[in-house]
Amino acid sequence: MSLVAFCSDFGLSDPFVAEVKLALRRHGPADLRVLDITHEIAPGAVAAGRWVCARIWPQLPAGAVLLAVVDPGVGSERPAVAAAAGGRFFVGPGNGLFTGLAAEPDLQVVRLVRREPPLAHLAGTTFDGRDLFAPAAARLAAGQPLRDLGTPASAAELGDAPPEAPCAVVWIDRFGNLITNLCRDSAAGRRLAAGATLMVAGRPVRGPIQAYADAAAGELVWYWGSGGTMEIARAGASAAAQLSARTGLVISLPVP
Amino acid sequence: MSLVAFCSDFGLSDPFVAEVKLALRRHGPADLRVLDITHEIAPGAVAAGRWVCARIWPQLPAGAVLLAVVDPGVGSERPAVAAAAGGRFFVGPGNGLFTGLAAEPDLQVVRLVRREPPLAHLAGTTFDGRDLFAPAAARLAAGQPLRDLGTPASAAELGDAPPEAPCAVVWIDRFGNLITNLCRDSAAGRRLAAGATLMVAGRPVRGPIQAYADAAAGELVWYWGSGGTMEIARAGASAAAQLSARTGLVISLPVP
Amino acid sequence: MSLVAFCSDFGLSDPFVAEVKLALRRHGPADLRVLDITHEIAPGAVAAGRWVCARIWPQLPAGAVLLAVVDPGVGSERPAVAAAAGGRFFVGPGNGLFTGLAAEPDLQVVRLVRREPPLAHLAGTTFDGRDLFAPAAARLAAGQPLRDLGTPASAAELGDAPPEAPCAVVWIDRFGNLITNLCRDSAAGRRLAAGATLMVAGRPVRGPIQAYADAAAGELVWYWGSGGTMEIARAGASAAAQLSARTGLVISLPVP
């Protein structure tokens, strides 16, 4: 069974997600299935899209295609790319969404060649998700080789990402938990693992706890989250609200 | 494989969309698939639903069923209809959602006959989406002929739509782009194609541009959108917010 | 075909729903299908989740699995359970979500045994939906017997639910309709069926009406809703807004 995992900043109010799925169906194998990752990435928020892609792709089965469309430069000269790494495929704009793949030893990248005439009566240059990326993702799902989709390219075509602080908030979830980029198995992560109280926005954050239930009501705590990185929560409430935290907040770590 | 494309004003918080899908499954073929178009049409907004239906149906594969439920008159004497046109099928209330089909040369319409006793313990008159339309859509997906679903009817049973201005905003998308009803291949559209600056809410809107990237930051521009009609955008921002625009806004075209 | 119906308080912005589905796929049969019921239950709102589960499970086909995750106590000592009743299966926390099953004569309950090592690099204690419940639901969907998933347990392991008033608002839908827990076929329901005007927040509510169309514009009315219980609506508007009603509102019934 072929799987296309699909994330975007299209939201769920417009018919755009469905139009991409219809294009996948039009160009893909009969048994193609689509898994929505999220379509609520803020409009044009490439950094948020990059985080979603980095979190989800290691959970995809071998052979799956990750179609990611957060594409404020649609119609410009930004490259359109497909890539293969770690047994999965990737399709989207080369604007930094897939920059995390650059470290993968088996990375292959092509620059997509625009082959499809868009739907006859719907010609346009603003919907590459439907008209360019979906046909490419569908072909990969059907087993067509990566090299047939375009011209060989380097990892640089995936685009750049700004440097990140060692411990910064990269996502705030529905529960108001702050998800950071600090990996449990990094050197800094291992130093923290024995226990440390962090100061965030002037308030102490105790950790690591093993489960939310180990926190007192209203207490701020940190723990190793379900993505393998450090998270900060407030028991039974929103840490983001209490700390007025936003994505990008840098958290100071104790001096080693 | 049988496809039912489903749009409604049910939203995604209540279990109603799932209940319709369970009814489709109960009455449909084993290989039935459902494609969500959108369920975030504003409650009772028939005109918005009509736009969604008109945009999506030409993108559906042959044999697909479009199930559309925006039905403020549920339980009243408004007809419940099924139709066939252009190789697709349509099921929903006859309240104007499908009025765009009236121009299709091969249009056939039936008035649905209520055959199903609703789920025994859930009898009601307020959920035709689940209790009347879904079973009919499932039967069409299973290959049952249109005529078997009800009594022959005329296009008038699809309901009326108020007349539209030649260029009016019919949808505002998540990015704040204004989608109009002005077709690229209409006489007025062809006149604009050479280039024209429109005045909208007292501000100039330049076009047609080929891609968002052709606009200066913050500039208002127009272009031929991914639905084949004219759209207005603000580069990197929301045109709707800047223009305080709402659906229904009429845009003046230059005198030919 | 195996069906897992999935409801949660995860929302649709985070990738969590997709991660659960990937876990279902990893541990489930090749033909597994997932039906989203709703993921917009308010964070930690167990009572709302209980209502969703009670409403949806009788509509599920025989053999389906209802996976429900509203789990503020994740990581604590609250039991994790699987159950079978009425030909369906149930998986989730034993915190009251499934308390409605206690009345089913053929109820069987097991306390889940944690068998899966979570994804190697994503170890954590905060995402039992992905790491514990989804694998269990997938195994049931694959036909594995309930008893193989854990240790036999009593209905008490499903958790408690606070007592409810005979007629209280248990859900407010997108249209602002108030859905109560008063069953049409209860003694009190049968007494009302001949017609009664209820007083709610100082305003008269007439019923039962047969369809919204039987109400005057703006009138407050009650009727037997699509879940088999009494509902209150305002014709063409939101009853919840007019009555400032919230979930939990108790409605007085006429003295018999």
Side-chain angles (χ1 to χ4, degrees):
Chain A
M1 208 158 335
S2 324
L3 182 71
V4 174
F6 176 24
C7 67
S8 77
D9 65 349
F10 293 165
L12 295 172
S13 295
D14 301 313
F16 304 150
V17 166
E19 293 182 50
V20 169
K21 291 178 181 175
L22 286 166
L24 286 169
R25 185 185 170 99
R26 212 175 286 127
H27 297 276
D31 67 350
L32 183 140
R33 293 212 188 172
V34 183
L35 176 70
D36 294 301
I37 305 303
T38 174
H39 300 291
E40 298 291 357
I41 294 169
V46 172
R50 181 165 51 243
W51 178 80
V52 169
C53 290
R55 176 169 172 122
I56 208 72
W57 83 258
Q59 302 186 48
L60 298 179
V65 181
L66 178 56
L67 169 63
V69 188
V70 179
D71 194 13
V74 61
S76 73
E77 291 305 305
R78 66 99 185 87
V81 297
R88 286 82 164 190
F89 299 97
F90 305 84
V91 176
N95 62 4
L97 275 181
F98 298 134
T99 303
L101 296 176
E104 297 298 311
D106 62 346
L107 176 67
Q108 290 180 286
V109 182
V110 301
R111 191 164 172 144
L112 291 178
V113 171
R114 194 178 292 267
R115 277 194 287 184
E116 243 64 30
L119 295 176
H121 70 299
L122 300 176
T125 57
T126 56
F127 199 178
D128 276 355
R130 179 189 70 189
D131 297 334
L132 176 60
F133 297 130
R139 289 211 183 84
L140 289 170
Q144 196 165 333
L146 182 72
R147 64 174 178 277
D148 290 3
L149 296 180
T151 55
S154 72
E157 299 281 288
L158 299 178
D160 293 324
E164 280 186 342
C167 186
V169 175
V170 289
W171 189 265
I172 296 177
D173 74 18
R174 187 192 198 203
F175 303 93
N177 302 327
L178 314 182
I179 305 182
T180 77
N181 60 347
L182 182 71
C183 286
R184 181 179 204 155
D185 57 5
S186 65
R190 281 189 296 267
R191 275 199 301 275
L192 282 188
T197 293
L198 306 173
M199 293 303 293
V200 181
R203 294 173 187 267
V205 179
R206 178 176 67 90
I209 59 158
Q210 295 305 309
Y212 299 130
D214 297 340
E219 189 186 13
L220 288 161
V221 290
W222 69 265
Y223 53 95
W224 300 113
S226 61
T229 65
M230 199 247 277
E231 300 185 9
I232 293 171
R234 186 178 178 208
S238 165
Q242 190 180 32
L243 298 171
S244 302
R246 293 175 174 238
T247 301
L249 176 71
V250 173
I251 294 170
S252 299
L253 299 177
V255 179
Chain B
M1 207 157 338
S2 323
L3 182 71
V4 174
F6 176 25
C7 68
S8 76
D9 64 350
F10 293 165
L12 293 173
S13 294
D14 301 313
F16 304 149
V17 166
E19 294 182 49
V20 169
K21 291 178 181 175
L22 286 165
L24 285 169
R25 185 186 171 99
R26 211 176 287 129
H27 297 276
D31 67 350
L32 184 140
R33 294 212 188 171
V34 183
L35 175 71
D36 294 302
I37 305 303
T38 174
H39 300 292
E40 298 291 356
I41 294 169
V46 172
R50 180 165 53 242
W51 178 80
V52 169
C53 290
R55 176 170 172 123
I56 208 71
W57 84 258
Q59 302 187 48
L60 298 179
V65 181
L66 178 56
L67 170 63
V69 188
V70 179
D71 193 13
V74 62
S76 73
E77 290 305 305
R78 66 97 185 88
V81 297
R88 287 82 164 189
F89 299 97
F90 304 83
V91 176
N95 62 4
L97 275 181
F98 298 134
T99 303
L101 297 175
E104 297 299 311
D106 61 345
L107 176 67
Q108 292 180 284
V109 182
V110 300
R111 191 165 173 144
L112 290 178
V113 171
R114 195 178 291 269
R115 277 195 287 184
E116 242 66 29
L119 295 175
H121 70 300
L122 300 175
T125 56
T126 56
F127 199 178
D128 276 354
R130 179 189 72 188
D131 298 333
L132 176 61
F133 298 129
R139 288 210 184 86
L140 289 169
Q144 197 165 332
L146 182 72
R147 64 175 177 275
D148 289 4
L149 296 180
T151 55
S154 72
E157 299 281 288
L158 299 178
D160 293 323
E164 280 185 341
C167 186
V169 175
V170 289
W171 188 266
I172 295 176
D173 74 17
R174 187 192 198 203
F175 303 94
N177 302 328
L178 314 182
I179 305 180
T180 76
N181 59 346
L182 182 71
C183 285
R184 182 179 204 154
D185 59 5
S186 65
R190 280 190 297 266
R191 275 198 302 273
L192 282 188
T197 293
L198 307 174
M199 294 303 294
V200 182
R203 294 173 186 266
V205 180
R206 179 175 67 90
I209 59 160
Q210 295 305 310
Y212 299 131
D214 298 339
E219 188 186 14
L220 288 161
V221 290
W222 69 265
Y223 53 95
W224 300 113
S226 61
T229 65
M230 199 247 277
E231 301 185 9
I232 293 171
R234 187 178 177 207
S238 165
Q242 190 181 31
L243 299 172
S244 302
R246 294 175 173 239
T247 301
L249 176 70
V250 172
I251 294 169
S252 299
L253 299 177
V255 179
Chain C
M1 208 157 338
S2 323
L3 182 72
V4 174
F6 176 24
C7 67
S8 76
D9 63 351
F10 292 166
L12 294 173
S13 295
D14 301 313
F16 304 150
V17 165
E19 294 183 50
V20 169
K21 291 178 180 175
L22 286 165
L24 285 169
R25 187 185 169 99
R26 211 176 287 127
H27 297 276
D31 66 350
L32 184 140
R33 294 213 187 171
V34 183
L35 175 71
D36 294 302
I37 305 302
T38 174
H39 300 292
E40 299 290 356
I41 294 169
V46 172
R50 180 166 52 241
W51 179 80
V52 170
C53 290
R55 177 169 170 122
I56 209 70
W57 83 258
Q59 301 187 48
L60 298 178
V65 181
L66 178 56
L67 169 63
V69 188
V70 179
D71 194 13
V74 62
S76 72
E77 290 305 306
R78 66 98 184 88
V81 297
R88 288 82 164 190
F89 299 97
F90 305 83
V91 176
N95 63 3
L97 275 181
F98 298 134
T99 302
L101 297 176
E104 296 299 311
D106 61 345
L107 176 68
Q108 291 180 286
V109 182
V110 300
R111 192 164 172 144
L112 290 178
V113 171
R114 195 178 291 269
R115 277 194 287 183
E116 244 65 29
L119 295 175
H121 70 300
L122 300 175
T125 56
T126 56
F127 199 177
D128 276 355
R130 179 188 69 189
D131 298 333
L132 175 61
F133 297 129
R139 289 210 184 85
L140 289 169
Q144 196 165 333
L146 182 72
R147 63 174 179 277
D148 289 3
L149 296 180
T151 54
S154 72
E157 299 281 287
L158 299 178
D160 292 325
E164 281 186 342
C167 186
V169 176
V170 289
W171 188 265
I172 295 175
D173 74 18
R174 187 193 199 204
F175 303 93
N177 302 327
L178 314 182
I179 305 181
T180 76
N181 59 347
L182 182 71
C183 286
R184 182 179 203 154
D185 58 4
S186 65
R190 280 189 297 266
R191 275 198 301 275
L192 282 188
T197 294
L198 306 173
M199 294 303 293
V200 181
R203 292 172 188 267
V205 180
R206 179 175 65 90
I209 59 159
Q210 294 305 310
Y212 299 131
D214 297 339
E219 188 186 13
L220 288 162
V221 291
W222 70 265
Y223 53 96
W224 300 113
S226 61
T229 65
M230 199 247 277
E231 301 186 9
I232 293 170
R234 187 179 176 208
S238 166
Q242 190 180 31
L243 299 171
S244 302
R246 294 175 171 238
T247 301
L249 176 71
V250 173
I251 294 170
S252 299
L253 299 177
V255 179

